[in-house]
Amino acid sequence: MIKKVSSHINQNELLLFEASSPGKRGYQLPDLDVPAVDPEKVLGDLNVREEIEDFPEVSEVEAIRHFTRLSTWNYAIDLGLYPLGSCTMKYNPRVNELVARTEGLAWAHPYQPESLSQGCMEVVAVLEHALAEITGMDSVTLQPAAGAHGEFTGILMMRALLESRGNPRKKILVPDSAHGTNPATAMMVGYTVQNVKSNERGMVDVEALAGYITEDVAGMMITNPNTVGVFEENIRKICGMLHEKGALVYMDGANMNALVGVTRPGDFGIDVMHLNLHKTFSTPHGGGGPGSGAVAVVKEMAPFLPGPRLKRVGDAWSWNYDLPQSIGRVRSFYGNFGVLVRALAYIMAHGGNGLRQATLDALMNANYIRALLEPYYEIAYKANSMHECVFSDDRQAKKGVRTGDIAKRLIDYGFHPYTVSFPLIVRGALMIEPTETESKRELDLFVDAMISIAHEVEENPELVTKAPHSTRIKRVDETRAARNPILRWKPKSTASEAAD
Ligand SMILES: *Cc1c(COP(=O)(O)O)cnc(C)c1O
């Protein structure tokens, strides 16, 4: 008879707290050859941590194995395709990390005197210049810490400019396909939000828009290409219509990876925009940060940029704090500097032609997927796709299978799911963005998986609605997990309480 052996690796990982055994240590020191002192007395209360109740005590190898095993439970860009749309996970070339670890950059302190910070200031200056060139705008600030923060900074400047003209106005127009941060930003800066409907091609309805542009309108926030992956063909006209009424245009640049090197917002009429360096310029943004929401503006808005600003004094860089019209600081120091270094490394490693090629490759990859999947999934809008394609689950819903089910089944095929149920204006959305770095082989594997799932939906829908089948944890109750998250480990005695 074969004895059943439990396979402990990858399956039944204990919490580190549960693996703990009193007195175990991750290090070993030789006996003292000097008189012993009480560290608490010598260091003083201020420097001695309070005891942490039930702090796990394990050996070095136990700690390392624990975290190494946990890391294998995760899906990562280093394992395979990560087809999330909207919030691109662009591949972060390893050379960026090498550059960011350069001693003089990695160990620079923000309080270092200017004379010892010239290299870092040069990084800021060169990156600002490169981003101005890429966007076709006049000036750039690198202070904001993320896209939403960039929006806030940009709309504050919009308000400041309108105020300087005599009237900040009351409303911001936002298309119904917009990312939620857009209306939230407008509200935070004290504006009311007017929703603008999209037409059946997924673009802003220009005729409807005309009716909304009143003397009250401060400006419009527009994403281009928008969140359904469609280029706003009438963007010049839209900008013209707003400018004619003294309003301004903010562009949410989160989808700039479809435009870089091909067209420039400054050339089609945008006044102020943000870039998500952690999306378009390859800096990592796992786990919620850090990011960078660089903001680019036209000349007329430059006096309102957050300070301090770089200026050239003789042949050195200096920070200029004398900015009477500036909206003020939006962040401590000068932005998330490590992210800026990576973005600049990415831009310089590619060069102008390389950036353009990356854009074209991203468009080609998205359209390749679209062409192969269109026979099986309903494309949301017939207009040309840019860097991502959005399907709906209309055909699969007839069999009771929804976008979330298809996403879970993809996990069984070894892929990270696409973006599920966003944008909200597409019912049951499947938003797929491959990015430019994926090979034809990887794209074909993904497409094969999606087609195979489409067949399963026809033949055995339960297989899909009950997925995933191959993971450690089967389908979880997501609503309950979101409403009642258990984020803190509790000792065994109260563990059942936590599970409730
Ligand atoms: C990601 C994203 C944002 C917000 O950017 P963060 O850097 O996450 O704050 C805004 N708009 C769009 C379209 C986005 O994709």
Side-chain angles (χ1 to χ4, degrees), residues 85-88 145-151 177-182 223 225-227 252-255 274-279 285 291-293 422:
S86 183
C87 199
T88 322
H149 195 192
E151 290 174 34
S177 63
H179 193 273
T181 48
N182 293 183
T223 310
N226 60 30
T227 56
D252 179 330
N255 293 338
H274 79 259
L275 294 158
N276 307 59
L277 299 189
H278 49 288
K279 295 183 181 176
H285 71 299
S292 173
F422 184 85

mmCIF file of all heavy atoms in Angstrom, residues 85-88 145-151 177-182 223 225-227 252-255 274-279 285 291-293 422, ligand 1:
data_model
loop_
_atom_site.group_PDB
_atom_site.id
_atom_site.type_symbol
_atom_site.label_atom_id
_atom_site.label_comp_id
_atom_site.label_asym_id
_atom_site.label_seq_id
_atom_site.Cartn_x
_atom_site.Cartn_y
_atom_site.Cartn_z
ATOM 1 N N GLY A 85 -5.686 46.181 -18.554
ATOM 2 C CA GLY A 85 -5.790 47.438 -19.285
ATOM 3 C C GLY A 85 -6.006 48.582 -18.332
ATOM 4 O O GLY A 85 -6.147 48.380 -17.140
ATOM 5 N N SER A 86 -6.027 49.783 -18.868
ATOM 6 C CA SER A 86 -6.205 51.035 -18.143
ATOM 7 C C SER A 86 -4.979 51.352 -17.303
ATOM 8 O O SER A 86 -4.322 52.345 -17.514
ATOM 9 C CB SER A 86 -7.457 51.043 -17.269
ATOM 10 O OG SER A 86 -7.562 52.310 -16.674
ATOM 11 N N CYS A 87 -4.669 50.501 -16.355
ATOM 12 C CA CYS A 87 -3.534 50.774 -15.488
ATOM 13 C C CYS A 87 -2.371 49.894 -15.924
ATOM 14 O O CYS A 87 -2.067 48.896 -15.300
ATOM 15 C CB CYS A 87 -3.928 50.472 -14.059
ATOM 16 S SG CYS A 87 -2.854 51.253 -12.881
ATOM 17 N N THR A 88 -1.740 50.279 -17.030
ATOM 18 C CA THR A 88 -0.692 49.468 -17.641
ATOM 19 C C THR A 88 0.378 49.005 -16.673
ATOM 20 O O THR A 88 0.890 49.786 -15.905
ATOM 21 C CB THR A 88 0.056 50.311 -18.687
ATOM 22 O OG1 THR A 88 -0.872 51.121 -19.334
ATOM 23 C CG2 THR A 88 0.825 49.445 -19.636
ATOM 24 N N ALA A 145 2.889 62.829 -6.660
ATOM 25 C CA ALA A 145 3.328 61.475 -6.340
ATOM 26 C C ALA A 145 2.592 60.390 -7.119
ATOM 27 O O ALA A 145 2.938 59.226 -7.039
ATOM 28 C CB ALA A 145 3.191 61.224 -4.840
ATOM 29 N N ALA A 146 1.531 60.756 -7.862
ATOM 30 C CA ALA A 146 0.786 59.765 -8.643
ATOM 31 C C ALA A 146 -0.136 60.509 -9.601
ATOM 32 O O ALA A 146 -0.229 61.741 -9.547
ATOM 33 C CB ALA A 146 -0.033 58.860 -7.728
ATOM 34 N N GLY A 147 -0.824 59.745 -10.454
ATOM 35 C CA GLY A 147 -1.694 60.365 -11.448
ATOM 36 C C GLY A 147 -2.785 61.211 -10.817
ATOM 37 O O GLY A 147 -3.006 62.364 -11.209
ATOM 38 N N ALA A 148 -3.470 60.656 -9.813
ATOM 39 C CA ALA A 148 -4.558 61.390 -9.176
ATOM 40 C C ALA A 148 -4.042 62.680 -8.550
ATOM 41 O O ALA A 148 -4.691 63.728 -8.611
ATOM 42 C CB ALA A 148 -5.224 60.509 -8.117
ATOM 43 N N HIS A 149 -2.851 62.612 -7.993
ATOM 44 C CA HIS A 149 -2.219 63.785 -7.386
ATOM 45 C C HIS A 149 -1.872 64.807 -8.481
ATOM 46 O O HIS A 149 -1.994 66.025 -8.282
ATOM 47 C CB HIS A 149 -0.955 63.318 -6.644
ATOM 48 C CG HIS A 149 -0.389 64.312 -5.693
ATOM 49 N ND1 HIS A 149 0.849 64.167 -5.139
ATOM 50 C CD2 HIS A 149 -0.884 65.467 -5.203
ATOM 51 C CE1 HIS A 149 1.094 65.206 -4.345
ATOM 52 N NE2 HIS A 149 0.049 65.997 -4.369
ATOM 53 N N GLY A 150 -1.464 64.305 -9.642
ATOM 54 C CA GLY A 150 -1.193 65.176 -10.789
ATOM 55 C C GLY A 150 -2.462 65.881 -11.256
ATOM 56 O O GLY A 150 -2.454 67.072 -11.567
ATOM 57 N N GLU A 151 -3.561 65.142 -11.285
ATOM 58 C CA GLU A 151 -4.846 65.746 -11.670
ATOM 59 C C GLU A 151 -5.180 66.893 -10.725
ATOM 60 O O GLU A 151 -5.569 67.988 -11.154
ATOM 61 C CB GLU A 151 -5.978 64.709 -11.583
ATOM 62 C CG GLU A 151 -5.926 63.628 -12.640
ATOM 63 C CD GLU A 151 -6.996 62.558 -12.377
ATOM 64 O OE1 GLU A 151 -8.087 62.899 -11.889
ATOM 65 O OE2 GLU A 151 -6.723 61.380 -12.655
ATOM 66 N N SER A 177 -17.024 58.038 -19.728
ATOM 67 C CA SER A 177 -16.076 56.919 -19.734
ATOM 68 C C SER A 177 -14.888 57.177 -18.809
ATOM 69 O O SER A 177 -14.018 56.328 -18.659
ATOM 70 C CB SER A 177 -15.575 56.662 -21.165
ATOM 71 O OG SER A 177 -14.866 57.793 -21.640
ATOM 72 N N ALA A 178 -14.842 58.348 -18.164
ATOM 73 C CA ALA A 178 -13.637 58.753 -17.423
ATOM 74 C C ALA A 178 -13.340 57.851 -16.228
ATOM 75 O O ALA A 178 -14.225 57.232 -15.643
ATOM 76 C CB ALA A 178 -13.782 60.190 -16.937
ATOM 77 N N HIS A 179 -12.074 57.828 -15.880
ATOM 78 C CA HIS A 179 -11.594 57.181 -14.659
ATOM 79 C C HIS A 179 -12.173 57.956 -13.469
ATOM 80 O O HIS A 179 -12.283 59.175 -13.511
ATOM 81 C CB HIS A 179 -10.068 57.284 -14.660
ATOM 82 C CG HIS A 179 -9.372 56.420 -13.666
ATOM 83 N ND1 HIS A 179 -9.140 56.817 -12.387
ATOM 84 C CD2 HIS A 179 -8.843 55.182 -13.789
ATOM 85 C CE1 HIS A 179 -8.486 55.861 -11.743
ATOM 86 N NE2 HIS A 179 -8.292 54.858 -12.566
ATOM 87 N N GLY A 180 -12.505 57.253 -12.407
ATOM 88 C CA GLY A 180 -13.150 57.875 -11.248
ATOM 89 C C GLY A 180 -12.361 59.006 -10.610
ATOM 90 O O GLY A 180 -12.932 59.888 -9.956
ATOM 91 N N THR A 181 -11.042 59.000 -10.800
ATOM 92 C CA THR A 181 -10.245 60.067 -10.190
ATOM 93 C C THR A 181 -10.562 61.422 -10.812
ATOM 94 O O THR A 181 -10.343 62.451 -10.178
ATOM 95 C CB THR A 181 -8.738 59.793 -10.350
ATOM 96 O OG1 THR A 181 -8.473 59.442 -11.708
ATOM 97 C CG2 THR A 181 -8.284 58.663 -9.444
ATOM 98 N N ASN A 182 -11.068 61.453 -12.073
ATOM 99 C CA ASN A 182 -11.317 62.744 -12.733
ATOM 100 C C ASN A 182 -12.424 63.531 -12.032
ATOM 101 O O ASN A 182 -12.181 64.659 -11.583
ATOM 102 C CB ASN A 182 -11.639 62.571 -14.216
ATOM 103 C CG ASN A 182 -10.471 62.048 -15.053
ATOM 104 O OD1 ASN A 182 -10.568 61.914 -16.265
ATOM 105 N ND2 ASN A 182 -9.343 61.722 -14.425
ATOM 106 N N THR A 223 -9.628 62.092 -21.413
ATOM 107 C CA THR A 223 -8.579 61.068 -21.474
ATOM 108 C C THR A 223 -8.433 60.676 -22.946
ATOM 109 O O THR A 223 -9.436 60.423 -23.604
ATOM 110 C CB THR A 223 -8.985 59.842 -20.636
ATOM 111 O OG1 THR A 223 -9.381 60.291 -19.346
ATOM 112 C CG2 THR A 223 -7.849 58.860 -20.496
ATOM 113 N N PRO A 225 -5.805 58.362 -25.700
ATOM 114 C CA PRO A 225 -7.039 57.655 -25.983
ATOM 115 C C PRO A 225 -7.821 57.428 -24.689
ATOM 116 O O PRO A 225 -7.240 57.328 -23.620
ATOM 117 C CB PRO A 225 -6.587 56.335 -26.604
ATOM 118 C CG PRO A 225 -5.134 56.219 -26.309
ATOM 119 C CD PRO A 225 -4.623 57.585 -26.082
ATOM 120 N N ASN A 226 -9.142 57.336 -24.832
ATOM 121 C CA ASN A 226 -9.979 57.272 -23.643
ATOM 122 C C ASN A 226 -9.962 55.876 -23.016
ATOM 123 O O ASN A 226 -9.252 54.985 -23.478
ATOM 124 C CB ASN A 226 -11.406 57.726 -23.988
ATOM 125 C CG ASN A 226 -12.031 56.851 -25.069
ATOM 126 O OD1 ASN A 226 -11.724 55.667 -25.175
ATOM 127 N ND2 ASN A 226 -12.904 57.429 -25.866
ATOM 128 N N THR A 227 -10.741 55.696 -21.982
ATOM 129 C CA THR A 227 -10.648 54.435 -21.233
ATOM 130 C C THR A 227 -11.280 53.250 -21.963
ATOM 131 O O THR A 227 -11.211 52.129 -21.462
ATOM 132 C CB THR A 227 -11.288 54.563 -19.837
ATOM 133 O OG1 THR A 227 -12.617 54.992 -20.009
ATOM 134 C CG2 THR A 227 -10.553 55.544 -18.973
ATOM 135 N N ASP A 252 -6.064 63.745 -19.131
ATOM 136 C CA ASP A 252 -5.596 62.637 -18.310
ATOM 137 C C ASP A 252 -4.688 61.807 -19.214
ATOM 138 O O ASP A 252 -5.137 61.204 -20.188
ATOM 139 C CB ASP A 252 -6.818 61.833 -17.832
ATOM 140 C CG ASP A 252 -6.445 60.625 -16.978
ATOM 141 O OD1 ASP A 252 -5.359 60.070 -17.194
ATOM 142 O OD2 ASP A 252 -7.256 60.248 -16.118
ATOM 143 N N GLY A 253 -3.389 61.814 -18.920
ATOM 144 C CA GLY A 253 -2.413 61.188 -19.813
ATOM 145 C C GLY A 253 -2.078 59.753 -19.452
ATOM 146 O O GLY A 253 -1.039 59.227 -19.874
ATOM 147 N N ALA A 254 -2.965 59.094 -18.695
ATOM 148 C CA ALA A 254 -2.668 57.722 -18.257
ATOM 149 C C ALA A 254 -2.486 56.770 -19.440
ATOM 150 O O ALA A 254 -1.833 55.745 -19.311
ATOM 151 C CB ALA A 254 -3.764 57.208 -17.334
ATOM 152 N N ASN A 255 -3.059 57.130 -20.584
ATOM 153 C CA ASN A 255 -2.942 56.257 -21.752
ATOM 154 C C ASN A 255 -1.935 56.769 -22.781
ATOM 155 O O ASN A 255 -2.017 56.428 -23.959
ATOM 156 C CB ASN A 255 -4.316 56.071 -22.399
ATOM 157 C CG ASN A 255 -5.260 55.301 -21.493
ATOM 158 O OD1 ASN A 255 -4.816 54.573 -20.613
ATOM 159 N ND2 ASN A 255 -6.550 55.465 -21.696
ATOM 160 N N HIS A 274 -1.437 65.313 -17.082
ATOM 161 C CA HIS A 274 -0.472 64.569 -16.274
ATOM 162 C C HIS A 274 0.003 63.340 -17.038
ATOM 163 O O HIS A 274 -0.649 62.887 -17.973
ATOM 164 C CB HIS A 274 -1.057 64.164 -14.906
ATOM 165 C CG HIS A 274 -1.953 62.968 -14.946
ATOM 166 N ND1 HIS A 274 -3.323 63.056 -14.937
ATOM 167 C CD2 HIS A 274 -1.684 61.636 -15.000
ATOM 168 C CE1 HIS A 274 -3.850 61.851 -14.980
ATOM 169 N NE2 HIS A 274 -2.882 60.964 -15.029
ATOM 170 N N LEU A 275 1.146 62.860 -16.622
ATOM 171 C CA LEU A 275 1.680 61.589 -17.121
ATOM 172 C C LEU A 275 1.818 60.694 -15.898
ATOM 173 O O LEU A 275 2.176 61.167 -14.829
ATOM 174 C CB LEU A 275 3.066 61.799 -17.723
ATOM 175 C CG LEU A 275 3.134 62.649 -18.984
ATOM 176 C CD1 LEU A 275 4.541 63.200 -19.143
ATOM 177 C CD2 LEU A 275 2.759 61.809 -20.186
ATOM 178 N N ASN A 276 1.515 59.427 -16.041
ATOM 179 C CA ASN A 276 1.797 58.496 -14.949
ATOM 180 C C ASN A 276 3.124 57.832 -15.306
ATOM 181 O O ASN A 276 3.158 56.923 -16.124
ATOM 182 C CB ASN A 276 0.705 57.431 -14.831
ATOM 183 C CG ASN A 276 -0.685 58.023 -14.727
ATOM 184 O OD1 ASN A 276 -1.114 58.741 -15.625
ATOM 185 N ND2 ASN A 276 -1.381 57.726 -13.660
ATOM 186 N N LEU A 277 4.206 58.337 -14.706
ATOM 187 C CA LEU A 277 5.514 57.765 -15.062
ATOM 188 C C LEU A 277 5.547 56.283 -14.708
ATOM 189 O O LEU A 277 6.232 55.499 -15.351
ATOM 190 C CB LEU A 277 6.641 58.507 -14.343
ATOM 191 C CG LEU A 277 6.767 60.000 -14.657
ATOM 192 C CD1 LEU A 277 8.046 60.555 -14.049
ATOM 193 C CD2 LEU A 277 6.735 60.274 -16.153
ATOM 194 N N HIS A 278 4.754 55.897 -13.701
ATOM 195 C CA HIS A 278 4.717 54.485 -13.282
ATOM 196 C C HIS A 278 3.837 53.654 -14.210
ATOM 197 O O HIS A 278 3.691 52.459 -14.003
ATOM 198 C CB HIS A 278 4.247 54.382 -11.832
ATOM 199 C CG HIS A 278 3.008 55.173 -11.545
ATOM 200 N ND1 HIS A 278 3.009 56.530 -11.476
ATOM 201 C CD2 HIS A 278 1.733 54.793 -11.347
ATOM 202 C CE1 HIS A 278 1.780 56.961 -11.234
ATOM 203 N NE2 HIS A 278 0.984 55.924 -11.161
ATOM 204 N N LYS A 279 3.227 54.260 -15.213
ATOM 205 C CA LYS A 279 2.515 53.481 -16.221
ATOM 206 C C LYS A 279 3.277 53.563 -17.543
ATOM 207 O O LYS A 279 3.749 52.572 -18.066
ATOM 208 C CB LYS A 279 1.094 54.011 -16.412
ATOM 209 C CG LYS A 279 0.219 53.849 -15.204
ATOM 210 C CD LYS A 279 -1.200 54.334 -15.466
ATOM 211 C CE LYS A 279 -2.041 54.164 -14.203
ATOM 212 N NZ LYS A 279 -3.386 54.703 -14.348
ATOM 213 N N HIS A 285 5.135 49.729 -10.268
ATOM 214 C CA HIS A 285 4.160 50.284 -9.317
ATOM 215 C C HIS A 285 3.346 49.196 -8.650
ATOM 216 O O HIS A 285 2.175 49.329 -8.400
ATOM 217 C CB HIS A 285 3.301 51.365 -9.946
ATOM 218 C CG HIS A 285 2.283 50.920 -10.962
ATOM 219 N ND1 HIS A 285 2.600 50.280 -12.125
ATOM 220 C CD2 HIS A 285 0.931 51.062 -10.986
ATOM 221 C CE1 HIS A 285 1.503 50.062 -12.819
ATOM 222 N NE2 HIS A 285 0.468 50.517 -12.151
ATOM 223 N N GLY A 291 4.802 56.253 -6.968
ATOM 224 C CA GLY A 291 4.580 56.578 -8.372
ATOM 225 C C GLY A 291 5.037 57.988 -8.658
ATOM 226 O O GLY A 291 5.717 58.610 -7.835
ATOM 227 N N SER A 292 4.686 58.468 -9.842
ATOM 228 C CA SER A 292 4.952 59.863 -10.167
ATOM 229 C C SER A 292 3.932 60.354 -11.169
ATOM 230 O O SER A 292 3.742 59.734 -12.211
ATOM 231 C CB SER A 292 6.363 60.038 -10.734
ATOM 232 O OG SER A 292 6.517 61.379 -11.186
ATOM 233 N N GLY A 293 3.263 61.427 -10.835
ATOM 234 C CA GLY A 293 2.251 62.015 -11.727
ATOM 235 C C GLY A 293 2.724 63.344 -12.265
ATOM 236 O O GLY A 293 2.158 64.389 -11.935
ATOM 237 N N PHE A 422 -14.362 47.054 -16.122
ATOM 238 C CA PHE A 422 -14.006 48.462 -16.313
ATOM 239 C C PHE A 422 -13.634 48.637 -17.774
ATOM 240 O O PHE A 422 -12.989 47.754 -18.324
ATOM 241 C CB PHE A 422 -12.840 48.874 -15.400
ATOM 242 C CG PHE A 422 -12.508 50.330 -15.504
ATOM 243 C CD1 PHE A 422 -13.194 51.280 -14.751
ATOM 244 C CD2 PHE A 422 -11.534 50.773 -16.404
ATOM 245 C CE1 PHE A 422 -12.906 52.626 -14.880
ATOM 246 C CE2 PHE A 422 -11.244 52.121 -16.531
ATOM 247 C CZ PHE A 422 -11.925 53.041 -15.769
HETATM 248 C C1 LIG B 1 -4.381 55.063 -13.372
HETATM 249 C C2 LIG B 1 -5.266 56.107 -13.872
HETATM 250 C C3 LIG B 1 -5.483 57.288 -13.127
HETATM 251 C C4 LIG B 1 -4.943 57.502 -11.720
HETATM 252 O O1 LIG B 1 -3.565 57.432 -11.647
HETATM 253 P P1 LIG B 1 -2.808 56.963 -10.299
HETATM 254 O O2 LIG B 1 -1.382 57.087 -10.665
HETATM 255 O O3 LIG B 1 -3.253 55.571 -10.030
HETATM 256 O O4 LIG B 1 -3.222 57.913 -9.221
HETATM 257 C C5 LIG B 1 -6.279 58.259 -13.685
HETATM 258 N N1 LIG B 1 -6.844 58.096 -14.887
HETATM 259 C C6 LIG B 1 -6.673 56.970 -15.624
HETATM 260 C C7 LIG B 1 -7.331 56.847 -16.965
HETATM 261 C C8 LIG B 1 -5.883 55.938 -15.135
HETATM 262 O O5 LIG B 1 -5.708 54.816 -15.841
#
